[in-house]
Every structure is written in C-alpha cells, then in structure tokens.
Amino acid sequence: MPTESGSCSTARQAKQKRKSHSLSIRRTNSSEQERTGLPREMLEGQDSKLPSSVRSTLLELFGQIEREFENLYIENLELRREIDTLNERLAGEGQAIDGAELSKGQLKTKASHSTSQLSQKLKTTYKASTSKIVSSFKTTTSRAICQLVKEYIGHRDGIWDVSVARTQPVVLGTASADHTALLWSIETGRCLVKYAGHMGSVNSIKFHPSEQLALTASGDQTAHIWRYVVQLPTPQPVADTSQQISGEDEIECSDKDEPDIDGDVSSDCPTVRVPLTSLKSHQGVVIAADWLVGGKQVVTASWDRTANLYDVETSELVHSLTGHDQELTHCCTHPTQRLVVTSSRDTTFRLWDFRDPSIHSVNVFQGHTDTVTSAVFTVGDNVVSGSDDRTVKVWDLKNMRSPIATIRTDSAINRINVCVGQKIIALPHDNRQVRLFDMSGVRLARLPRSSRQGHRRMVCCSAWSEDHPMCNLFTCGFDRQAIGWNINIPALLQEK
C-alpha cells in the first residue's frame, strides 16, 4: 500500500484545519445572527401600545446606531494598525541612522508625537460619528424648536442675499439674480418696495445703521445707495405650520416642487429706479457691499480682486484694498469698530484695520483649502469663516495662526451669519440644509426640510434678527424664495 510523503501529509492536515476553521467561523456568525435577530423578531411580534410608524422609526434609528458604531469600530482597528506600523517603522529607523542607535529619548519623542496625531484623528473620527448618531435623535426635537413662520415669494430668479433693517420700521430685504431687490413686510409677507435700478444680478443688500437707506451690489460692476419709504400693513394671524411637517423629514424634491408664481407679486408695490449714489470704480462684478460703523463709508468687494472703500457723501474712492490673488467672494464690517474682512477664492480672507487714519494694516488668514465663501465678525475679537472645503472655522483676531474651533460638514458652505447676542452660527449649504452651531463647534439643530416646507434648492444666505418677535432667522436660496423662521433659542441652548 503506497504511503504519502511527509510534505503531502502536512499539506492535507493544513487544508483540513483551514476547512474546519472556516466552518467554525460560519457557525459562529450564524449563531450570532440568530442571537441578534431574535430580539428584533420578538420586538416586532410582541404587543405594544406604540403606533407602528413610531416603532418602525425606532427600529430604523437603532439600526443606524448599530451601523455607525460598526463603522467606528472598523476605523478604530485601522487606526490601531497604523499606529503599530508607525511604531515598527520608527523603531527600524532608530537602528539604521548612520549605523548608530537612536537614543531612546528621541525615539520615544517621535513615537509619542506620531501617536498623539493619530489619537487626535481617532478623537475627531469618534466625535464626527457620534454627532451623526445624536443628530438622529435631534430630528424630532429640532422641529419644535425651529418652526417655519412665513414664506416670501415674488422674485423671478434665485435669491443671493437676505438682510434685515436695523431701524424702524423693521423690514426684510432680498437681493436676486432677476436684477431686483425687494423689501418685505416680515409679518404679512407682502412686498413693500421694489428696487429696479441695476442692470445686472443684485448680489447683496445691506441696510444703513440709522437711516432708511439700502446698499446693493450688482453684476453690472456698480454698487447703489438708494432711499426707501415704507408703510407697514396690518399684520394678519399667522397659521401654525408646525403640524404640517410630514413624518419623513428628508424627502427629496425636484424642481417641479418649487413654489408657483402666478404673475409678478412685486408689480403692485412702489418701484425705485434711480439711486441716490452710484459707485462705479470696479472693473468686474461687485459681489458684496457693506456699511462701515456710523454709515458714512461703505466697502465693496469685486471679482476684479479688489475691495474699495468709498465716502458716502461725496461718492469718492477713499482706498482701494489690493492683495488678494483671485476674485473676492464677500466682505463684512465690524458692528462697533472700523474693521473690514474680505474673503476670496484664493483660499484666504484678510482683515483690514482702519481705526488709525494714518495706518491701514492688513492681516492674512490662511486655514482653508478651497474658496472662502464668507467671513463675518462676532462679538469681541472673533471672526467666523466658511469655505467650499466644507469647513467653518472660528478665529481669534489676536492669534491668527490657527482657528480656535473647526466645524466639519458634508457640503460646501455659503454666506454664513452669526447671532451676536447668543453666539449661534447659521450655516446655509449647497445641499439645501441649514444647520445651527455654537461658537465651540457643537451642532445645535437643523432647520426642518420636507416636501411641504423648507428650501428646495441650494440655500445661499442667512440673516439673524435678534429683536423681532415673530421671526429671528431668515434664509434664502435658488428656489426663488426667502423664509422666516422662529428659533426658540432658550430651548435650543437648553438641549445643548
């Protein structure tokens, strides 16, 4: 009887061992599936007083939690493998440098530095994953805290900017690609004044701090200052829209779902066609403009890579602010000091200081990897910047080397706005979402968006109105409408 060679016998034994090991794995996995599937079947089969829709929602949420933790566990394993690989590589380098051993202290320092970086990455990943899980539970509660109050429909094209008057009567202003700017009654949603003096898209609108004057920037390479006179209509009872939200908050909407506009809503309101002042020094699109504190000067930002400072009374160019390498995207002024911040497609934003008439200093902030879409001041010495790199960063003007907080999102950021009194940041996104964060980067809420309410296309801008009793946040977008929201800030901060 022929006998097997030693090598063949060893190979057969190894094959049988692998086969038995794979079978044991299958048995283990199947038993684990049976164990995990049993409670779900029992849960679905047992009597419960909860409605079926609520139970299915809970099961889905628990499934999301399980998937999030599973992904996090896999990422943790990969990071641990990276740490082990890095330690081995560092140990190898320590023996090979100039044929001499690297001192244990140096090796320990390098290893600890690399490990700390990976630990920070692990913490960031964990924070991002857990925030997604927590946001699943915040969906229903944020609906009660953030309620849609009024829709302002009347533009013929997308709305680029929204602003609230700082003096009485308090009105809402919108700037649109349809070459017009409209002023609205916040309470009734009625159009009060139409400005039709521009020959191109109206890209921004800002109100004078103490007079009934508006400043608009346009694609016709000019910025206009124009006066308005409005009389507020009698407010009508506001319908409660909180009950109109469907159970599913993330319903995709097509362009057919956009609000229908039968005729020009703004055709019945008074029209202003001639500005008081036209500022014409730019050689490209004027993308934004704002009033300096006191309202005696204005600053404009243009695609010609410059920002200009003008005297309102004489319309003369006071300073041309140069230095950006690409087109400017936004400009903003400090509420109480003569400071200006400009943002650009060159991935930077710059701080211009005009407090000393003889010295005009500039500081450059570098921290984004893509277009900086906007940068705005907050109370104190902070600036918040948003970018197409899907991050928002909070900066301390006294230390501009690195941000004090970073918010990472899943979509590009458009023109942000900060509620100065409560230090809440509103982030409008390309993906039609509007999210609220605090200054430390903690997510507070997301504005409701469904088939019945919310924006149906990209949200371009937001504006806070801290003193208005009806609406304290306004948003606008490419769906040709502006929306007024009532944010219950005390409840929002208490949930935090």
Side-chain angles (χ1 to χ4, degrees):
M1 186 173 180
T3 59
E4 293 180 340
S5 63
S7 60
C8 293
S9 176
T10 304
R12 177 172 294 182
Q13 290 177 1
K15 184 176 181 180
Q16 290 176 350
K17 186 178 294 184
R18 285 197 302 271
K19 184 176 180 181
S20 62
H21 179 63
S22 62
L23 289 175
S24 65
I25 291 176
R26 290 196 198 100
R27 293 193 194 100
T28 304
N29 291 341
S30 62
S31 61
E32 287 179 356
Q33 291 175 359
E34 292 173 0
R35 288 197 301 270
T36 55
L38 185 58
R40 183 183 179 93
E41 294 175 358
M42 293 177 61
L43 181 61
E44 292 177 346
Q46 68 183 4
D47 295 334
S48 175
K49 295 181 181 180
L50 292 175
S52 59
S53 60
V54 176
R55 295 177 63 196
S56 61
T57 302
L58 286 174
L59 290 173
E60 179 62 26
L61 290 175
F62 289 139
Q64 292 179 14
I65 293 174
E66 182 181 2
R67 288 192 293 273
E68 292 291 344
F69 275 109
E70 183 179 3
N71 293 335
L72 182 60
Y73 177 73
I74 294 173
E75 291 178 3
N76 290 347
L77 291 179
E78 293 177 353
L79 289 174
R80 288 183 182 277
R81 281 195 292 269
E82 290 182 12
I83 292 174
D84 294 338
T85 304
L86 181 61
N87 287 335
E88 291 176 1
R89 181 163 60 84
L90 288 175
E93 291 176 355
Q95 296 174 356
I97 294 177
D98 295 332
E101 264 191 40
L102 190 67
S103 65
K104 293 183 179 180
Q106 292 175 330
L107 181 60
K108 185 176 181 181
T109 302
K110 283 189 176 182
S112 62
H113 177 67
S114 303
T115 305
S116 64
Q117 289 181 336
L118 290 173
S119 299
Q120 185 62 36
K121 183 178 179 181
L122 181 61
K123 291 177 182 177
T124 304
T125 305
Y126 173 76
K127 185 176 180 181
S129 302
T130 52
S131 65
K132 291 179 183 178
I133 299 171
V134 174
S135 65
S136 302
F137 295 100
K138 283 194 173 184
T139 301
T140 54
T141 55
S142 64
R143 293 174 186 166
I145 294 174
C146 310
Q147 294 187 2
L148 185 151
V149 178
K150 183 66 68 175
E151 294 178 333
Y152 306 88
I153 302 175
H155 279 291
R156 288 289 190 172
D157 207 337
I159 303 176
W160 291 114
D161 197 16
V162 61
S163 183
V164 182
R166 309 182 198 181
T167 59
Q168 296 293 334
V170 179
V171 295
L172 178 70
T174 53
S176 172
D178 65 7
H179 299 191
T180 68
L182 300 182
L183 304 187
W184 307 82
S185 166
I186 294 177
E187 290 80 4
T188 66
R190 174 184 167 187
C191 180
L192 303 175
V193 174
K194 175 181 179 180
Y195 182 71
H198 283 292
M199 301 298 294
S201 169
V202 184
N203 299 321
S204 78
I205 180 171
K206 288 292 183 291
F207 291 97
H208 191 276
S210 59
E211 300 181 36
Q212 292 189 15
L213 296 174
L215 171 65
T216 50
S218 173
D220 61 11
Q221 302 184 5
T222 68
H224 288 179
I225 299 174
W226 46 279
R227 186 175 296 277
Y228 63 90
V229 178
V230 297
Q231 184 175 0
L232 296 180
T234 304
Q236 301 295 325
V238 179
D240 184 9
T241 59
S242 60
Q243 302 300 324
Q244 298 178 1
I245 305 175
S246 60
E248 188 66 30
D249 194 49
E250 292 296 335
I251 299 178
E252 293 297 327
C253 307
S254 64
D255 291 344
K256 296 180 181 179
D257 297 322
E258 293 183 10
D260 296 328
I261 303 176
D262 299 329
D264 191 354
V265 177
S266 62
S267 60
D268 298 333
C269 64
T271 301
V272 179
R273 300 184 183 276
V274 180
L276 293 177
T277 303
S278 181
L279 309 175
K280 302 179 179 180
S281 298
H282 283 293
Q283 303 301 315
V285 169
V286 183
I287 195 65
D290 201 358
W291 303 86
L292 263 73
V293 58
K296 295 182 179 180
Q297 292 180 325
V298 299
V299 63
T300 57
S302 171
W303 284 4
D304 63 9
R305 305 184 182 184
T306 66
N308 287 343
L309 185 67
Y310 295 93
D311 182 89
V312 172
E313 186 176 352
T314 64
S315 304
E316 293 182 357
L317 176 64
V318 180
H319 293 290
S320 183
L321 312 179
T322 60
H324 282 291
D325 295 331
Q326 295 188 38
E327 295 89 340
L328 273 65
T329 58
H330 192 245
C331 65
C332 180
T333 60
H334 195 281
T336 61
Q337 303 182 60
R338 290 175 55 80
L339 299 172
V340 175
V341 63
T342 56
S343 53
S344 170
R345 291 184 60 189
D346 63 9
T347 73
T348 71
F349 65 95
R350 294 179 175 236
L351 174 69
W352 310 84
D353 191 346
F354 298 101
R355 289 175 292 187
D356 188 341
S358 61
I359 302 175
H360 306 299
S361 63
V362 57
N363 292 316
V364 182
F365 290 75
Q366 297 175 329
H368 291 286
T369 59
D370 206 337
T371 298
V372 181
T373 53
S374 63
V376 298
F377 289 100
T378 67
V379 291
D381 296 321
N382 291 336
V383 170
V384 182
S385 61
S387 171
D388 280 344
D389 64 7
R390 302 183 180 184
T391 66
V392 174
K393 301 192 176 186
V394 183
W395 305 80
D396 186 351
L397 298 181
K398 298 176 182 178
N399 181 14
M400 60 182 184
R401 292 184 224 170
S402 59
I404 58 178
T406 298
I407 302 170
R408 303 188 185 278
T409 68
D410 58 354
S411 179
I413 313 295
N414 295 314
R415 292 183 178 177
I416 59 181
N417 200 275
V418 178
C419 179
V420 176
Q422 303 295 335
K423 300 182 179 180
I424 301 176
I425 311 170
L427 306 183
H429 293 276
D430 276 357
N431 64 1
R432 301 177 289 157
Q433 299 281 7
V434 181
R435 296 182 173 94
L436 305 180
F437 287 81
D438 68 7
M439 296 290 290
S440 62
V442 176
R443 177 175 165 178
L444 302 177
R446 173 174 55 82
L447 299 190
R449 182 174 64 83
S450 69
S451 60
R452 293 197 180 110
Q453 66 172 224
H455 288 286
R456 295 160 178 83
R457 297 183 70 180
M458 180 179 76
V459 187
C460 299
C461 184
S462 61
W464 288 93
S465 176
E466 301 181 46
D467 299 327
H468 200 280
M470 178 177 165
C471 303
N472 52 9
L473 178 63
F474 298 90
T475 57
C476 64
F478 266 13
D479 55 1
R480 300 177 290 171
Q481 68 173 336
I483 298 179
W485 303 87
N486 180 21
I487 311 298
N488 188 340
I489 294 180
L492 188 69
L493 297 178
Q494 183 177 4
E495 260 202 13
K496 165 189 167 184

